[in-house]
Amino acid sequence: MAESASYTEKLKRWDRFKAEKFSKKAPVTTPYPFIDIEKPPEYRGIPHINPEKCIGCGACVNACPPDALIMEWDKEHGVKRLTYNAARCIRCARCIEVCPTGAMEPTTRFEVATDNKEDLVEVVEHKLAYCEECGEYLDFTERQIEYVRNILPKDVFDAYALEDRIKLTQEEKMRRTVIKLRETEGNVYPAFMLVRETKDDGGEE
Amino acid sequence: METAVKLGFSLAGIIIMLFLPPYLDGIARRVKARLQYRRGPPLSQTWYDLRKLFGMPSVKPTKKALFTWAPYIALASAISAALLLPYGNVVPVDFGYNLVVFFYVVLMVSVFLMLAGLTVQNAFSHLGSAREMQVILTVEPLIAILYGVLAYNSGSLDLYTIMTGLHLTPSLVLTYILLAYALYVESGFVPFDIAEAEQEVIGGPLSEYSGRLLGVFYYAIYIKRFALLWFFISLLTLPWIGPIGTPEKAALVLALQFVLTVAFYPIIAALEATNARLRIDHVVKMNTRAFFAGLIILAMAFMGW
Amino acid sequence: MVNTKDLEAHFEFECKACENGRCAKADVNSILSERKGLRDFYEAFKEHIKGCKRMTYGQYQFVIDREVLPEAVLWWHNHPEFKETHLSTAVGTDERPLNGHFVYMPFLNVQVEFANEPENYWVFLRTYLLADDPSFPSVAEKLPAALWIEREVKDLLGFKPVNHPDPRRLILPEDWPEGVYPLRKDMDYRHSPITEPKVEFKEKPEDTTLVPMGPAHMGIEEPAHFRLFVKGEEIVDVDYRGFYSHRGIEKTGEGRLTYNQVLFLAERICGICGYQHSVSYAMAVERLADVDIPDRARYIRTLLLELERIHNHLLWVGIAAHMVGYDTGFMHAWRIREPVMWLVERLTGNRKQYGMNIVGGVRRDILDYRKEEILKVVKQIREGTKTFLDVALNTNTFIKRAEGVGILPYKVAKAYSVLGPTARASGRKIDVRKDQAVKTATAYNEIDFKVPVYKEGDVLARVLVRMDELFESLWMVEQLIDQMPGGDIMVPIGKLPEYEEALGFTEAHRGEVVHYVMTGEKNKVYRWKVRAPTYNNLPAVPEMLKGYHVADAPLIIASIDPCYSCTERVQFVDVNTGKVKVLTEAEFNELSIKYKGVF
Ligand code: SF4
Ligand code: SF4
């Protein structure tokens, strides 16, 4: 709370005329590229992905209107790659709004002109979790699973026996379901439900 | 001694005439910028622009020789116009009948600009040339009449003799006023830059020019503007300061001419900045009115007023 | 052309709206008595009306036979009582996946009485066209306002307006093959075929010279091609070819994005009036989902709309000055404008492309301390503009260029459905801010302002209208700050109803912007039609140019404040791979040699 108050204070005090050291009325133009321009704190610059916090959930990718954020799976090497391309970005800050962990950080940077296109791209790679059973890579990252573990209440875990199943591939889960089904012959319903639920939970967070 | 001084003044004149015009444009840019609350470019910006243009090859859209030669002829005309004027008490090139020659070479700059525009297949160049022609056709008779008044008033056709031999009459004062207008129009400052209007005819006759040739044209135009202004300043100063006997006095006069020229340019720039461009029919109308006013002045001069 | 009888033979239209209980087909009478004029129309075209419903508040739809389309449109447009009623635009939709037909739907803004908010309404005239013969009788024959509209549906959907006076291409580029229609649903948005170009320019009249203003010209900021046929310096006739900045936005919006993503695309239709588009789109979606957004959100939207108008009018007056070589006016107008940009940057996070909207409200709140800032800027702008006008309107040369030039008579303005300040400078008393202010996404019905109208119709009148509006806007901003209610700033919308349609509109500084949205399944947009005001104003420009000087052309064109990229909305770039074909130098040279004679 204290921190947010000081931010508001900062906002109130920010004054472009001071920031750009306007003392006289004229001239109003500045020798811009040769001086630094300070943007107000409210300015929506290009976002920046904090690789420490990002869990690779892809919520930002879904929200991004111009496809400036792209998610790729490289199952051979077991990585999930989140790519941000400032050249496509329209600075709408939707990704910042939807990011569950605050990994998408707003900045006030706006000068992205460069002679090297690679400067515009940010890549965050995540290790995919792998199935303990068969060693195949899952669709989710390790961090995602970690995150799910942390936010889901204990009883949900217990209710759906997630602890056992969360790190399994789709095929493995199905296989297990089938086994379970065989075990609980005649009582199809609960096992079926289990599969659906786990899938949904993992996919969203 | 006599010739050495003369040479020195001529040299000073040549240096002024070659180097000052782009700086004058730089001054104008600065003044305009200040009026518009801008910072404006450095004073030598026009020189930088010219240097850049001189260093670049030109794209030639036509094989006609005139397209290539016109800028150089225009530049030569402009330079000779400037050389016909007095610097101090020295006129670098003196043929006698200088007034007629001056009138002619200044006109040549516009004429070659116009002809250059007609060498290419471009509607905008043609429009620009047609406008340039209309301006010339309406303003040159006016200038001729005013020169006539000057010649009649001083009884000579030689520029230097005119400038030392004028005597104050009401008609002369009116001539000065009208001459200021006519020379302003001939220089092609806003609101009379109709032929080269960027937004309307994308530079008119200049629209097909690029690189070195464009630079030469610009340079010619700057020198022409300088020559016309220097001419007017000389008319304003020389007749009233008495005979120039010593080189010191001549140097003082030169300095005065120089200072006045530099001081007049901001006024022109301010006029440019506070006006919108006129349309060709407005200008033609204004010039025609001025022409009849000129005729009346001529009549007054003949009657000795 | 097939007639309705044939159509009816394979006509099995199911009105899905009934299921949601919003269709009033069952009770036509109560619908018809809601507004003046509806019943008269019904009586006049009884045999040809197949159905009618209220799409949403103040938006009525009639399903009519296509044979009577011209009569029906003209019935409204030339209504003797509702003087300022105009043909807003028309939507063509490929509804073959839904019901096997194409739909062509002109709609009109019916002004029962100026500023009578609960009385005015929109009328949509929906006609079904056969899938194998999408022809309809042309309205453009009798009403120039429909000229472009019909050429557009012809280009993009392959409809055939029978007897259209000028059936050349409008939108598609010259090298687009015949018979490929981008807005049909069976066409993928990444497909971009190319064939030999075919140029269809208007014939040059005898004894005239051609002055090509464009495709790239100093006096026009964006690509547009005016071919002026001149005698000496006088303009005799004009041909216009535009749509060089067609970006396929509508198609992208329909194909790929969810309704909230389209919103950001909508804002990027225009670099100047983006927020107007954003609000219009948001309003359309909110109307069809039938949610009322919180008051505070409405006020914030209105505030930003007005701030946008202020800086746009200043921008425009600067450009107008620049066009006649009056650069000091230009610089000062833009200097005065700059604080608004800074202010908006602080309110929303950006100078332009505010990104403030979300369907259902706004994203950032206006904190209290900022009110002072706003009032400070408003004061500054008011003083600045007053001084500016003092100087500019006393500059003889400027007035000389603007007065009596580019006159657009009232009759022509009405026939072309000219909008916004251009129309108001010609005596049309229209303004959707006042006309249709109830249940919109804005708060214009709760504040007080005047709508300036001039009768002269020349460029000067357009300058004056805009400047008067600017002062009104300043006054509106002050009121909005004063009356700003508290509360939430957004309501979540969630799922959208399927296959519903609605219209969103705002009065941009150039005239009325309309966004028509028809939802599809899964929160996607089935049809999204954007009509920027320049779309209606630009066809009238040739009329304004005739008889004036070439020198006046840039000013006259600029005087309607044209915005080509909004009008043309719609090059296809592969959004997934970002592939654009780039010519090598050799290819380019080859092309230029090949088409030497053409361009
Ligand atoms: S700011 Fe907007 S465009 Fe840029 S990455 Fe985020 S969501 Fe995408
Ligand atoms: S939403 Fe946030 S956590 Fe999820 S992938 Fe994007 S940046 Fe990472």
Side-chain angles (χ1 to χ4, degrees), chain A residues 49 53-61 71 82 95 98-104 126:
Chain A
I49 313 173
K53 286 190 189 162
C54 178
I55 56 166
C57 65
C60 50
V61 179
M71 191 66 96
L82 174 64
C95 48
V98 298
C99 179
T101 60
M104 267 291 169
H126 289 282

mmCIF file of all heavy atoms in Angstrom, chain A residues 49 53-61 71 82 95 98-104 126, ligand 2:
data_model
loop_
_atom_site.group_PDB
_atom_site.id
_atom_site.type_symbol
_atom_site.label_atom_id
_atom_site.label_comp_id
_atom_site.label_asym_id
_atom_site.label_seq_id
_atom_site.Cartn_x
_atom_site.Cartn_y
_atom_site.Cartn_z
ATOM 1 N N ILE A 49 9.565 -9.258 -20.761
ATOM 2 C CA ILE A 49 9.259 -10.495 -20.042
ATOM 3 C C ILE A 49 10.337 -10.737 -18.998
ATOM 4 O O ILE A 49 11.517 -10.758 -19.322
ATOM 5 C CB ILE A 49 9.230 -11.711 -20.982
ATOM 6 C CG1 ILE A 49 8.415 -11.407 -22.231
ATOM 7 C CG2 ILE A 49 8.673 -12.923 -20.262
ATOM 8 C CD1 ILE A 49 8.494 -12.495 -23.274
ATOM 9 N N LYS A 53 10.119 -14.748 -13.486
ATOM 10 C CA LYS A 53 8.750 -14.947 -13.012
ATOM 11 C C LYS A 53 7.897 -15.741 -13.982
ATOM 12 O O LYS A 53 6.909 -16.351 -13.594
ATOM 13 C CB LYS A 53 8.094 -13.588 -12.796
ATOM 14 C CG LYS A 53 8.571 -12.853 -11.567
ATOM 15 C CD LYS A 53 7.667 -11.664 -11.375
ATOM 16 C CE LYS A 53 8.160 -10.722 -10.312
ATOM 17 N NZ LYS A 53 7.511 -9.422 -10.470
ATOM 18 N N CYS A 54 8.225 -15.672 -15.257
ATOM 19 C CA CYS A 54 7.369 -16.296 -16.263
ATOM 20 C C CYS A 54 7.306 -17.799 -16.051
ATOM 21 O O CYS A 54 8.306 -18.450 -15.766
ATOM 22 C CB CYS A 54 7.918 -15.989 -17.645
ATOM 23 S SG CYS A 54 6.964 -16.770 -18.947
ATOM 24 N N ILE A 55 6.096 -18.322 -16.180
ATOM 25 C CA ILE A 55 5.950 -19.765 -16.024
ATOM 26 C C ILE A 55 5.608 -20.426 -17.351
ATOM 27 O O ILE A 55 5.427 -21.624 -17.428
ATOM 28 C CB ILE A 55 4.870 -20.098 -14.976
ATOM 29 C CG1 ILE A 55 3.537 -19.429 -15.356
ATOM 30 C CG2 ILE A 55 5.309 -19.669 -13.587
ATOM 31 C CD1 ILE A 55 2.374 -19.963 -14.576
ATOM 32 N N GLY A 56 5.488 -19.614 -18.385
ATOM 33 C CA GLY A 56 5.231 -20.199 -19.696
ATOM 34 C C GLY A 56 3.813 -20.680 -19.892
ATOM 35 O O GLY A 56 3.560 -21.644 -20.593
ATOM 36 N N CYS A 57 2.857 -19.961 -19.300
ATOM 37 C CA CYS A 57 1.483 -20.452 -19.385
ATOM 38 C C CYS A 57 0.825 -20.098 -20.708
ATOM 39 O O CYS A 57 -0.087 -20.758 -21.156
ATOM 40 C CB CYS A 57 0.661 -19.866 -18.251
ATOM 41 S SG CYS A 57 0.489 -18.099 -18.388
ATOM 42 N N GLY A 58 1.265 -19.019 -21.339
ATOM 43 C CA GLY A 58 0.707 -18.673 -22.633
ATOM 44 C C GLY A 58 -0.543 -17.826 -22.584
ATOM 45 O O GLY A 58 -1.169 -17.595 -23.609
ATOM 46 N N ALA A 59 -0.918 -17.329 -21.415
ATOM 47 C CA ALA A 59 -2.107 -16.473 -21.338
ATOM 48 C C ALA A 59 -1.893 -15.220 -22.162
ATOM 49 O O ALA A 59 -2.791 -14.739 -22.848
ATOM 50 C CB ALA A 59 -2.387 -16.098 -19.888
ATOM 51 N N CYS A 60 -0.681 -14.689 -22.113
ATOM 52 C CA CYS A 60 -0.365 -13.482 -22.858
ATOM 53 C C CYS A 60 -0.473 -13.745 -24.361
ATOM 54 O O CYS A 60 -0.923 -12.887 -25.111
ATOM 55 C CB CYS A 60 1.027 -12.991 -22.493
ATOM 56 S SG CYS A 60 2.277 -14.266 -22.587
ATOM 57 N N VAL A 61 -0.053 -14.931 -24.780
ATOM 58 C CA VAL A 61 -0.102 -15.262 -26.207
ATOM 59 C C VAL A 61 -1.541 -15.256 -26.703
ATOM 60 O O VAL A 61 -1.836 -14.766 -27.787
ATOM 61 C CB VAL A 61 0.560 -16.633 -26.449
ATOM 62 C CG1 VAL A 61 0.489 -17.000 -27.912
ATOM 63 C CG2 VAL A 61 1.982 -16.617 -25.968
ATOM 64 N N MET A 71 4.107 -18.719 -28.960
ATOM 65 C CA MET A 71 4.545 -19.841 -28.131
ATOM 66 C C MET A 71 4.873 -21.010 -29.042
ATOM 67 O O MET A 71 4.103 -21.339 -29.942
ATOM 68 C CB MET A 71 3.399 -20.201 -27.177
ATOM 69 C CG MET A 71 3.785 -21.153 -26.088
ATOM 70 S SD MET A 71 4.950 -20.438 -24.954
ATOM 71 C CE MET A 71 3.859 -19.873 -23.660
ATOM 72 N N LEU A 82 8.821 -18.975 -25.526
ATOM 73 C CA LEU A 82 7.932 -17.813 -25.621
ATOM 74 C C LEU A 82 8.732 -16.705 -26.295
ATOM 75 O O LEU A 82 9.776 -16.297 -25.792
ATOM 76 C CB LEU A 82 7.491 -17.382 -24.222
ATOM 77 C CG LEU A 82 6.682 -16.108 -24.122
ATOM 78 C CD1 LEU A 82 5.352 -16.254 -24.838
ATOM 79 C CD2 LEU A 82 6.442 -15.741 -22.667
ATOM 80 N N CYS A 95 -1.215 -8.050 -22.598
ATOM 81 C CA CYS A 95 -0.452 -9.150 -22.020
ATOM 82 C C CYS A 95 -0.165 -8.871 -20.553
ATOM 83 O O CYS A 95 -0.183 -9.774 -19.719
ATOM 84 C CB CYS A 95 0.841 -9.352 -22.794
ATOM 85 S SG CYS A 95 1.758 -7.856 -23.083
ATOM 86 N N VAL A 98 -3.194 -9.704 -18.414
ATOM 87 C CA VAL A 98 -3.626 -11.092 -18.230
ATOM 88 C C VAL A 98 -2.569 -11.976 -17.590
ATOM 89 O O VAL A 98 -2.880 -13.076 -17.154
ATOM 90 C CB VAL A 98 -4.057 -11.725 -19.572
ATOM 91 C CG1 VAL A 98 -5.237 -10.989 -20.153
ATOM 92 C CG2 VAL A 98 -2.915 -11.773 -20.557
ATOM 93 N N CYS A 99 -1.345 -11.524 -17.538
ATOM 94 C CA CYS A 99 -0.290 -12.388 -17.005
ATOM 95 C C CYS A 99 -0.566 -12.711 -15.538
ATOM 96 O O CYS A 99 -0.716 -11.818 -14.713
ATOM 97 C CB CYS A 99 1.058 -11.708 -17.133
ATOM 98 S SG CYS A 99 2.395 -12.705 -16.479
ATOM 99 N N PRO A 100 -0.641 -13.995 -15.180
ATOM 100 C CA PRO A 100 -1.014 -14.353 -13.812
ATOM 101 C C PRO A 100 0.113 -14.142 -12.806
ATOM 102 O O PRO A 100 -0.138 -14.026 -11.614
ATOM 103 C CB PRO A 100 -1.368 -15.840 -13.916
ATOM 104 C CG PRO A 100 -0.596 -16.329 -15.082
ATOM 105 C CD PRO A 100 -0.485 -15.183 -16.035
ATOM 106 N N THR A 101 1.335 -14.080 -13.271
ATOM 107 C CA THR A 101 2.434 -14.009 -12.314
ATOM 108 C C THR A 101 3.119 -12.656 -12.298
ATOM 109 O O THR A 101 4.047 -12.438 -11.528
ATOM 110 C CB THR A 101 3.513 -15.044 -12.680
ATOM 111 O OG1 THR A 101 3.987 -14.739 -13.989
ATOM 112 C CG2 THR A 101 2.958 -16.437 -12.664
ATOM 113 N N GLY A 102 2.680 -11.771 -13.149
ATOM 114 C CA GLY A 102 3.341 -10.466 -13.208
ATOM 115 C C GLY A 102 4.685 -10.533 -13.913
ATOM 116 O O GLY A 102 5.548 -9.683 -13.710
ATOM 117 N N ALA A 103 4.862 -11.547 -14.729
ATOM 118 C CA ALA A 103 6.137 -11.668 -15.432
ATOM 119 C C ALA A 103 6.241 -10.664 -16.570
ATOM 120 O O ALA A 103 7.325 -10.207 -16.912
ATOM 121 C CB ALA A 103 6.293 -13.079 -15.977
ATOM 122 N N MET A 104 5.086 -10.323 -17.150
ATOM 123 C CA MET A 104 5.082 -9.292 -18.183
ATOM 124 C C MET A 104 5.171 -7.957 -17.479
ATOM 125 O O MET A 104 4.262 -7.565 -16.752
ATOM 126 C CB MET A 104 3.774 -9.348 -18.960
ATOM 127 C CG MET A 104 3.830 -10.195 -20.180
ATOM 128 S SD MET A 104 4.871 -9.447 -21.390
ATOM 129 C CE MET A 104 4.991 -10.801 -22.520
ATOM 130 N N HIS A 126 11.507 -22.356 -21.663
ATOM 131 C CA HIS A 126 11.129 -23.069 -20.451
ATOM 132 C C HIS A 126 11.388 -24.535 -20.635
ATOM 133 O O HIS A 126 11.201 -25.069 -21.721
ATOM 134 C CB HIS A 126 9.643 -22.878 -20.176
ATOM 135 C CG HIS A 126 9.307 -21.503 -19.729
ATOM 136 N ND1 HIS A 126 9.530 -21.057 -18.469
ATOM 137 C CD2 HIS A 126 8.779 -20.460 -20.404
ATOM 138 C CE1 HIS A 126 9.147 -19.812 -18.368
ATOM 139 N NE2 HIS A 126 8.692 -19.412 -19.538
HETATM 140 S S1 SF4 D 2 1.231 -14.772 -19.252
HETATM 141 FE FE1 SF4 D 2 2.982 -14.210 -18.019
HETATM 142 S S2 SF4 D 2 3.606 -16.128 -17.091
HETATM 143 FE FE2 SF4 D 2 2.245 -16.668 -18.751
HETATM 144 S S3 SF4 D 2 3.637 -17.026 -20.473
HETATM 145 FE FE3 SF4 D 2 3.000 -14.891 -20.581
HETATM 146 S S4 SF4 D 2 4.595 -13.804 -19.483
HETATM 147 FE FE4 SF4 D 2 4.827 -15.932 -18.936
#
